[in-house]
Amino acid sequence: MESSPTIGIIGLGLIGGSLGLDLKQAGYRVLGVARRAVTRQQALAQGVVDQAAAELALLQPADLVVICTPIAAILPTLDALVPWLRPQAVVTDVGSVKGEIVAAATQRWANFVGGHPMAGKATAGLESAEAGLFRGKPYVLTPIAQTRPTAAEALITLIHQVGAILHQCSPEQHDRAVAWISHLPVMVSSSLIQACGQEPDPTIRQLAVALASSGFRDTSRVGGGVPELGLLMARYNRSALLASLHSYQQNLAHLCDLMAAEDWAALEAHLSAAQQARPAYLDPPPERPRS
Ligand code: NAP
């Protein structure tokens, strides 16, 4: 790839918009495709893209195209994009689930590499996009046996440009891992909010609402986001998410047993183990050096 490649971004929302801001700042020429005129105007005004259009034909000169649409639109978008691509162009996606996408996309375009930046917000849309969103955050690439090393290399350069921390694993490993740390929390957090609402006494319910503070804010954040995201996680990562939900259910049942038996020592051991385990998730080891 030449020294300053042209990047195409399809879907100028939170993730696509944030990528555009960072890549333009890094000196790349960024071409953006968005269906709505208001999105295109806003993207140009915010400095997210150099050029914007509704048609995929805009991306003809692109060296690398990032598909940033909702998950359900990724494969249909790739199908529509293929006729416009230069033979050596690299295509990636940012979808939160990889198993359903990567093999099918690689069959459609040999220079495809699945990706998932682990950075997000509870709000969607271009207005939520921000520069530096990916800095210091994990960015997972999910190559498969058919993935071309040169395509993965192009993506790795981009990941370093936005300051993200590279991880690589198979699509299946990715989906099982994110079921635990991203998709299960959404389901647990939404159940927490729902369970609080099931308090039968309206006076207590209103008091709970009035007293809710930082603890509830933290634990309800991911469950109180846009419902479309949780629905997509459940539909596209169904088996891994179900497995983690069942395991979580067993954990809750164990907690109920301990409390029913007034086994305070075992409960303390459970809580202490959780306290010791938590930092590893929040302060993970840095990216392994490239071989
Ligand atoms: P978003 O803010 O809603 O942006 C998606 C954009 O795609 C919209 O701005 C929309 O723009 C366009 N779009 C919507 N439906 C489309 C369709 N059917 N065909 C073509 N374009 C369409 O969503 P996002 O949060 O950036 O998520 C985008 C992708 O990133 C998803 O695949 C998601 O799994 C992944 N992801 C999200 C997060 C997160 O926390 N949000 C984190 C990591 C990865 P127009 O309507 O103007 O065309």
Side-chain angles (χ1 to χ4, degrees), residues 7 10 14 41 61 70 127 135 143-144 162 164 167 178 226 251 271:
I7 309 288
I10 310 173
L14 167 66
Q41 284 155 10
E127 45 290 334
R135 183 157 297 282
I144 56 176
V162 300
H167 292 264
V178 297
V226 289
N251 241 280
L271 295 170

Side-chain angles (χ1 to χ4, degrees), residues 184 241-251:
L184 177 63
L241 180 52
L242 264 178
S244 60
L245 269 170
H246 285 139
S247 174
Y248 184 73
Q249 240 173 357
Q250 283 168 13
N251 241 280

Side-chain angles (χ1 to χ4, degrees), residues 11-15 34-36 39 68-71 73-74 94-96 116-117 119-121 124-125 229:
L12 299 171
L14 167 66
I15 300 296
R35 298 171 307 173
R36 289 175 301 143
T39 310
C68 300
T69 66
I71 295 173
I74 292 172
V94 295
S96 314
H116 180 200
K121 287 182 172 184
L229 217 57

Side-chain angles (χ1 to χ4, degrees), residues 24-251:
K24 247 176 76 68
Q25 224 160 46
Y28 292 91
R29 180 165 169 249
V30 180
L31 311 173
V33 172
R35 298 171 307 173
R36 289 175 301 143
V38 62
T39 310
R40 298 193 292 276
Q41 284 155 10
Q42 201 182 334
L44 285 165
Q46 281 179 224
V48 167
V49 294
D50 293 294
Q51 256 181 285
E55 298 81 22
L56 293 167
L58 177 76
L59 304 183
Q60 239 168 341
D63 298 290
L64 195 154
V65 178
V66 192
I67 302 178
C68 300
T69 66
I71 295 173
I74 292 172
L75 291 176
T77 299
L78 179 59
D79 282 333
L81 174 68
V82 161
W84 302 107
L85 289 172
R86 299 164 71 182
Q88 72 276 28
V90 172
V91 180
T92 187
D93 73 314
V94 295
S96 314
V97 176
K98 305 273 46 108
E100 296 249 349
I101 305 283
V102 180
T106 308
Q107 272 180 358
R108 288 160 162 86
W109 189 251
N111 266 341
F112 182 88
V113 190
H116 180 200
M118 302 294 303
K121 287 182 172 184
T123 51
L126 186 55
E127 45 290 334
S128 301
E130 66 178 55
L133 185 71
F134 310 102
R135 183 157 297 282
K137 303 280 168 46
Y139 197 124
V140 195
L141 287 190
T142 57
I144 56 176
Q146 295 82 0
T147 303
R148 293 184 174 165
T150 47
E153 276 301 317
L155 248 296
I156 290 170
T157 303
L158 203 85
I159 289 169
H160 286 127
Q161 283 287 353
V162 300
I165 300 167
L166 171 71
H167 292 264
Q168 298 199 64
C169 62
S170 74
E172 293 69 30
Q173 288 172 323
H174 166 275
D175 288 356
R176 285 177 61 188
V178 297
W180 285 115
I181 52 82
S182 177
H183 302 173
L184 177 63
V186 169
M187 298 303 156
V188 168
S189 173
S190 64
S191 310
L192 171 73
I193 299 167
Q194 293 286 69
C196 291
Q198 282 158 9
E199 160 61 47
D201 182 337
T203 310
I204 302 297
R205 212 165 51 237
Q206 279 162 20
L207 187 61
V209 168
L211 298 184
S213 187
S214 53
F216 193 80
R217 185 179 304 277
D218 290 347
T219 51
S220 65
R221 184 180 66 82
V222 293
V226 289
E228 292 82 6
L229 217 57
L231 196 60
L232 287 171
M233 292 166 174
R235 284 184 65 179
Y236 287 90
N237 202 16
R238 182 171 166 273
S239 62
L241 180 52
L242 264 178
S244 60
L245 269 170
H246 285 139
S247 174
Y248 184 73
Q249 240 173 357
Q250 283 168 13
N251 241 280

